[in-house]
Amino acid sequence: ALPISVAGEYVKKSPGQNIQSCTVQPVLEEQPRLKNKPVPDQILNFYKSNYVQRFHYSRPVRKGSIDPENEFASMWIERTTFLTAYKLPGILPWFEVTSMWQSTISPLENAIETMSTTSEKIGRA
């Protein structure tokens, strides 16, 4: 399978129909009515996978030479963000992706993000 960055242009310019499948992670959208309020974990968990319209697909990308003592120092993350026409879940059999953009996450940003996620999981346990 081609990575999202390569397949995206190929799929858009192809005369036929194509299906591209990849595992994406839902992005929690802040709920204005819950902002600055203590919210139970059950409610947060509900919104992590319901009423979601934005999704991330991340894949590692190597930049520069690989340091044998620290392989993560040269591992960047290419993150593709998808925005669907409607929030999921829904009754439609499929949802159109209305926009897609890419960003690159540096090894340091990736480490900070990973530590924040791990800290959040430990705090909720």
Side-chain angles (χ1 to χ4, degrees), residues 4 12 22 24-27 29 53-59 78-84 97-105:
I4 293 291
K12 288 178 185 176
C22 62
V24 295
Q25 300 301 318
V27 177
E29 294 181 27
Q53 195 169 8
R54 189 179 310 255
F55 299 87
H56 284 162
Y57 168 74
S58 299
R59 70 182 188 98
E78 180 183 271
R79 177 164 294 151
T80 305
T81 303
F82 301 93
L83 187 66
T84 58
V97 172
T98 55
S99 61
M100 177 176 81
W101 60 94
Q102 287 185 335
S103 57
T104 303
I105 311 296

Side-chain angles (χ1 to χ4, degrees), residues 32-96:
R33 62 187 164 183
L34 303 178
K35 194 172 184 175
N36 298 325
K37 296 179 184 172
V39 180
D41 288 341
Q42 294 89 343
I43 293 175
L44 280 178
N45 288 334
F46 174 83
Y47 282 109
K48 284 182 180 178
S49 57
N50 290 283
Y51 301 109
V52 181
Q53 195 169 8
R54 189 179 310 255
F55 299 87
H56 284 162
Y57 168 74
S58 299
R59 70 182 188 98
V61 177
R62 295 276 179 203
K63 289 188 178 183
S65 59
I66 298 173
D67 181 356
E69 293 183 24
N70 185 1
E71 65 184 67
F72 298 102
S74 63
M75 186 171 71
W76 294 64
I77 301 295
E78 180 183 271
R79 177 164 294 151
T80 305
T81 303
F82 301 93
L83 187 66
T84 58
Y86 303 100
K87 293 186 178 192
L88 278 78
I91 60 171
L92 299 174
W94 61 276
F95 290 81
E96 179 182 2

